[in-house]
Amino acid sequence: MDSIITASYAVHFNEKGYEILNDQLVKNNYSKLFILVDQNTHNHCLPRFMGNIEGEYDFEIIEIEAGEVNKNIETCTQVWEVLSELDADRKSAMINLGGGVVTDLGGFVASCFKRGIDFINIPTTLLSMVDASVGGKTGVDLGSLKNQVGVINQPQLVLVDPEFLYTLSERQLQSGFAEMLKHGLISDANYWNTLKNVTNFNALDPLIHASVSIKNNVVVQDPTEQHLRKILNYGHTLGHAVESYFLESSNHELLLHGEAIAVGMILEGYLSYQLTGLSEPDLEDIKTTFLKRYKKVAFTKKDIEAILTLLKFDKKNSHGNINFVLLEKIGKPAIDVKVSSELMHEAFEYYAK
Amino acid sequence: MDSIITASYAVHFNEKGYEILNDQLVKNNYSKLFILVDQNTHNHCLPRFMGNIEGEYDFEIIEIEAGEVNKNIETCTQVWEVLSELDADRKSAMINLGGGVVTDLGGFVASCFKRGIDFINIPTTLLSMVDASVGGKTGVDLGSLKNQVGVINQPQLVLVDPEFLYTLSERQLQSGFAEMLKHGLISDANYWNTLKNVTNFNALDPLIHASVSIKNNVVVQDPTEQHLRKILNYGHTLGHAVESYFLESSNHELLLHGEAIAVGMILEGYLSYQLTGLSEPDLEDIKTTFLKRYKKVAFTKKDIEAILTLLKFDKKNSHGNINFVLLEKIGKPAIDVKVSSELMHEAFEYYAK
């Protein structure tokens, strides 16, 4: 598959990706190479990765605990301390091998260590391949506030190797697939229709490439999220709040990111129907498609109140307003739409129906 | 005094600086304005600052504890939490009113909050006016390792108001003056000779402007410290190690930054004499000038060993080598000079003589 290359970053795929990675490791002559993993990718992905590396390097492996609850400043501090103890210097580089927690946190750690060292992202989940691999967003959570602390900074290179997907559960694959469905909703009705009917997750390569391309086209046009890039937040305004709430609330099962934004995409579909002209059939199509893949979540009145309170912390806010990305139709987004609190409550009612 | 303006940052002075600041606050229409202070600048500098602000703003004041020991990730996390609690959003801005701790830490906090909000630096110490005001270095310490975590990011504007210097002790002024003397050593023998004889700190305005201009000329040519900008590290390789050691060691009096790099400039003067052709009279001139202003520090053998151990963590290292900036003569630096451990020990002997 063709690499996706822009002035500030490059995403490479499969065997060719490893070739380019191996070349860059030789060319850049890093003083030291660190590989950041969690216990899962340490066990299941590192062996395959190492098997594709030519040449001899004294890799230092740094393992963090898996899971979104560990994507925080305390974990960053631990990694910074390990890097210091292991004599990392400005010419060292970090390879982040893992899902979004590892690549988001690892990218942030590298971007701030001694004011920035090189890093390479190797996403191992479907979610991180199609979402975190492009765009340079790095960061960690602050308490229950997602990605509250971070920077925009590009990795030296991203390598997408779909073989890693065989290490994932069906549930994790579905979670990543939600972001791909989002790519259809915000940019291409045909792509949405193709994805809707995908049941076999063993032949995703061309679809992953398509999703990365869609995201890339958006990010290239608006790297700092002034306007167009906001469309990538479809489903995420309410979805993030739902995710944060379930993350901090001890009496709820944990929702995966894709599961939370699937809820968000239905809720914001309803808002689109009310505010930006999304047709009723399109709305029903969105709801049916997501509920076929993702178990319906039961929200109590108290849950909904708490979720809407969390909303105000969302990064898309400014001057106290909450700006939504909504849809005019499937494939055509509208940005900066303000929504009343009443309508958000209605959206939860529609979801529950 | 003329503003110093480049493509990526601007430093303004005195009354004209306040005019421009007031204009920018109106123009940028920030959703919320935060002022970061420590207890000293809260008491001694904030009233003057507020007196110069036109228009009505609901400033939120965030106070951190004064002192280099608080320039760490824990303090950053506290400030990030306060910003979140006070509903800071992406269109908010932070005004850092203080010395290097406040501007370095505040710049880092702002650069990472929701992946970056605007910040304005108002240095209140001589050190931060002549050193931290230009160049975009932000960051905090990690344990005893200075500036181990940070990013390069430019403030929206820097305002230098030398009136704030009246709030400082003689010792603090001398500490800042060490960086100005460094500017002479690395770029201009005449400037060095002028500064050597300065005893009255009440008329520093033109010299501050000269020092900011020197630093600016260097940074503009090499913003990311690939080559020329390294000259600003003269005295800092050993000076930082001395400073770090005194910071973490409980049985030593605290050394101010300028006092530590004054030691470093004598030590590295000796290295320059041995390695890069600095003349004996120039070396004596450097030693005499600094020892006239800064009390000689007594180093035990154990101290020196510990300091040289800390050196390896210095950011200027790569591939395990320690690269020094030395002098060929006063006003003419040499970069990337490697120095043996023996010679560093000799330098401490020369310092003690």
Side-chain angles (χ1 to χ4, degrees):
Chain A
M1 286 188 290
D2 286 346
S3 299
I4 293 171
I5 297 176
T6 73
S8 57
Y9 58 87
V11 186
H12 305 287
F13 296 82
N14 302 343
E15 291 71 29
K16 194 178 154 202
Y18 285 107
E19 272 173 42
I20 292 167
L21 173 65
N22 278 307
D23 286 353
Q24 290 226 353
L25 292 184
V26 171
K27 202 190 74 190
N28 289 330
N29 184 28
Y30 292 113
S31 62
K32 224 157 212 187
L33 284 163
F34 298 84
I35 304 180
L36 188 73
V37 291
D38 62 25
Q39 60 265 46
N40 298 324
T41 59
H42 198 166
N43 292 335
H44 302 302
C45 301
L46 189 59
R48 173 174 168 82
F49 174 74
M50 291 303 233
N52 280 285
I53 295 299
E54 297 161 4
E56 296 290 316
Y57 301 97
D58 271 338
F59 291 107
E60 299 275 7
I61 313 297
I62 304 178
E63 184 185 304
I64 60 173
E65 287 192 50
E68 182 82 21
V69 287
N70 299 303
K71 192 176 132 180
N72 56 34
I73 285 288
E74 291 70 37
T75 306
C76 293
T77 302
Q78 289 164 16
V79 180
W80 283 320
E81 284 169 352
V82 172
L83 288 171
S84 300
E85 280 159 24
L86 295 176
D87 295 343
D89 62 39
R90 283 183 178 174
K91 303 277 182 196
S92 299
M94 197 149 98
I95 297 170
N96 302 312
L97 179 70
V101 172
V102 168
T103 57
D104 284 8
L105 182 145
F108 180 63
V109 163
S111 299
C112 298
F113 186 73
K114 293 180 190 257
R115 302 204 181 92
I117 62 172
D118 280 1
F119 65 103
I120 289 162
N121 279 352
I122 308 191
T124 58
T125 63
L126 184 55
L127 181 61
S128 59
M129 286 180 195
V130 299
D131 189 40
S133 63
V134 165
K137 285 192 176 178
T138 76
V140 295
D141 304 337
L142 191 71
S144 63
L145 303 174
K146 282 184 60 78
N147 301 318
Q148 189 83 340
V149 173
V151 294
I152 302 240
N153 191 29
Q154 301 296 340
Q156 286 299 106
L157 119 84
V158 176
L159 192 168
V160 174
D161 175 4
E163 284 286 315
F164 288 124
L165 299 180
Y166 290 107
T167 67
L168 299 179
S169 67
E170 168 81 13
R171 186 180 172 194
Q172 284 172 307
L173 289 169
Q174 285 289 10
S175 172
F177 202 71
E179 288 285 354
M180 299 173 73
L181 287 162
K182 182 197 75 182
H183 292 143
L185 288 179
I186 59 171
S187 75
D188 186 343
N190 288 332
Y191 187 51
W192 163 259
N193 287 322
T194 304
L195 292 174
K196 260 174 23 182
N197 302 311
V198 168
T199 50
N200 176 4
F201 283 162
N202 290 327
L204 285 178
D205 291 31
L207 298 174
I208 291 171
H209 193 276
S211 265
V212 174
S213 298
I214 288 171
K215 178 155 186 188
N216 179 58
N217 286 339
V218 172
V219 170
V220 163
Q221 292 177 65
D222 177 24
T224 58
E225 197 167 320
Q226 301 303 305
H227 40 90
L228 181 66
R229 184 166 176 174
K230 293 178 182 175
I231 69 173
L232 295 167
N233 293 320
Y234 179 69
H236 282 61
T237 305
L238 282 161
H240 262 168
V242 167
E243 187 180 9
S244 292
Y245 177 69
F246 274 66
L247 190 65
E248 71 171 1
S249 153
S250 53
N251 55 346
H252 286 95
E253 197 194 348
L254 208 66
L255 275 186
L256 297 184
H257 176 72
E259 294 166 345
I261 66 147
V263 175
M265 286 191 275
I266 297 173
L267 295 171
E268 296 177 15
Y270 179 81
L271 301 177
S272 303
Y273 167 67
Q274 290 293 346
L275 295 173
T276 53
L278 185 72
S279 72
E280 199 165 344
D282 274 4
L283 173 62
E284 286 300 316
D285 184 15
I286 292 172
K287 185 173 177 183
T288 313
T289 300
F290 285 114
L291 287 182
K292 207 167 63 185
R293 291 177 182 268
Y294 309 96
K295 205 173 65 181
K296 196 184 250 192
V297 180
F299 296 101
T300 65
K301 275 221 157 77
K302 194 172 141 274
D303 293 337
I304 294 167
E305 287 304 330
I307 288 163
L308 296 182
T309 302
L310 276 175
L311 249 197
K312 71 172 178 180
F313 291 109
D314 191 276
K315 292 180 302 300
K316 272 76 68 190
N317 296 345
S318 79
H319 296 80
N321 292 316
I322 298 179
N323 291 317
F324 279 80
V325 179
L326 299 180
L327 301 175
E328 294 178 12
K329 58 183 182 183
I330 288 176
K332 188 158 191 294
I335 64 171
D336 292 338
V337 184
K338 294 189 188 13
V339 177
S340 71
S341 173
E342 291 81 348
L343 215 53
M344 291 185 225
H345 279 93
E346 271 183 36
F348 276 96
E349 284 165 30
Y350 170 75
Y351 176 83
K353 263 203 309 225
Chain B
M1 286 187 291
D2 286 346
S3 299
I4 294 172
I5 298 176
T6 73
S8 58
Y9 57 87
V11 187
H12 304 287
F13 296 84
N14 303 342
E15 290 72 27
K16 194 178 154 202
Y18 285 107
E19 271 173 44
I20 292 167
L21 172 65
N22 278 308
D23 286 353
Q24 291 226 352
L25 291 184
V26 171
K27 201 188 75 193
N28 289 331
N29 184 29
Y30 291 113
S31 61
K32 226 160 210 185
L33 284 162
F34 297 85
I35 304 180
L36 188 72
V37 291
D38 63 25
Q39 59 265 49
N40 298 324
T41 59
H42 199 165
N43 291 335
H44 302 302
C45 301
L46 189 60
R48 173 175 169 81
F49 174 74
M50 292 302 234
N52 279 285
I53 295 299
E54 296 161 6
E56 295 290 316
Y57 301 96
D58 270 338
F59 291 108
E60 299 276 6
I61 312 298
I62 304 179
E63 184 184 303
I64 60 173
E65 287 194 51
E68 182 80 22
V69 287
N70 299 303
K71 191 176 134 181
N72 56 35
I73 286 288
E74 291 71 37
T75 306
C76 292
T77 303
Q78 289 164 15
V79 180
W80 282 320
E81 285 169 352
V82 172
L83 288 171
S84 300
E85 280 159 24
L86 296 176
D87 295 342
D89 62 39
R90 283 182 176 173
K91 303 277 183 196
S92 299
M94 197 150 96
I95 297 170
N96 301 312
L97 180 70
V101 172
V102 168
T103 56
D104 285 7
L105 182 145
F108 180 63
V109 163
S111 299
C112 298
F113 186 74
K114 294 178 190 259
R115 302 204 181 91
I117 62 172
D118 281 0
F119 65 102
I120 289 163
N121 280 351
I122 308 191
T124 59
T125 63
L126 184 54
L127 182 62
S128 59
M129 288 179 193
V130 298
D131 189 40
S133 63
V134 166
K137 285 192 177 179
T138 76
V140 295
D141 305 337
L142 191 70
S144 63
L145 303 174
K146 281 184 61 77
N147 300 320
Q148 190 81 339
V149 174
V151 294
I152 301 239
N153 192 27
Q154 301 296 341
Q156 286 298 105
L157 121 83
V158 176
L159 193 169
V160 174
D161 175 4
E163 284 285 315
F164 288 124
L165 299 179
Y166 290 108
T167 66
L168 299 178
S169 67
E170 169 81 13
R171 187 181 170 193
Q172 284 171 306
L173 289 169
Q174 284 291 7
S175 171
F177 202 71
E179 288 285 356
M180 299 173 73
L181 288 162
K182 182 197 75 180
H183 291 143
L185 288 179
I186 59 171
S187 76
D188 186 342
N190 289 332
Y191 187 51
W192 163 258
N193 287 323
T194 303
L195 293 174
K196 260 174 24 182
N197 302 311
V198 168
T199 50
N200 177 4
F201 283 161
N202 289 326
L204 285 178
D205 290 32
L207 298 175
I208 291 170
H209 193 275
S211 265
V212 173
S213 298
I214 288 171
K215 178 154 186 190
N216 179 57
N217 286 338
V218 172
V219 170
V220 163
Q221 291 176 65
D222 176 23
T224 58
E225 198 168 319
Q226 301 303 306
H227 40 90
L228 181 67
R229 184 165 175 175
K230 293 178 181 174
I231 70 173
L232 294 168
N233 293 321
Y234 179 69
H236 283 61
T237 306
L238 282 160
H240 263 168
V242 167
E243 187 181 8
S244 292
Y245 177 68
F246 274 66
L247 190 64
E248 72 171 1
S249 152
S250 53
N251 56 348
H252 286 96
E253 196 195 348
L254 207 67
L255 274 186
L256 297 183
H257 176 72
E259 294 166 346
I261 64 147
V263 174
M265 286 192 273
I266 297 173
L267 295 171
E268 295 177 16
Y270 179 81
L271 302 177
S272 303
Y273 166 68
Q274 290 292 345
L275 296 172
T276 53
L278 186 73
S279 72
E280 198 166 344
D282 273 4
L283 173 61
E284 286 300 318
D285 183 15
I286 291 172
K287 184 173 179 183
T288 312
T289 300
F290 284 114
L291 288 182
K292 208 166 67 184
R293 290 177 183 270
Y294 309 95
K295 205 171 65 180
K296 196 184 252 192
V297 180
F299 295 101
T300 65
K301 275 220 157 73
K302 195 171 139 274
D303 293 338
I304 294 168
E305 287 304 330
I307 288 163
L308 296 182
T309 302
L310 276 175
L311 248 197
K312 71 172 177 180
F313 291 110
D314 190 275
K315 291 181 301 301
K316 270 76 70 189
N317 296 345
S318 80
H319 295 81
N321 292 315
I322 298 179
N323 291 317
F324 279 81
V325 179
L326 299 180
L327 301 175
E328 295 179 10
K329 58 184 183 183
I330 288 176
K332 187 158 192 297
I335 64 170
D336 290 338
V337 184
K338 294 189 188 15
V339 178
S340 70
S341 173
E342 291 82 347
L343 214 54
M344 291 187 225
H345 279 93
E346 269 184 36
F348 276 97
E349 285 166 28
Y350 169 76
Y351 176 83
K353 259 201 313 222

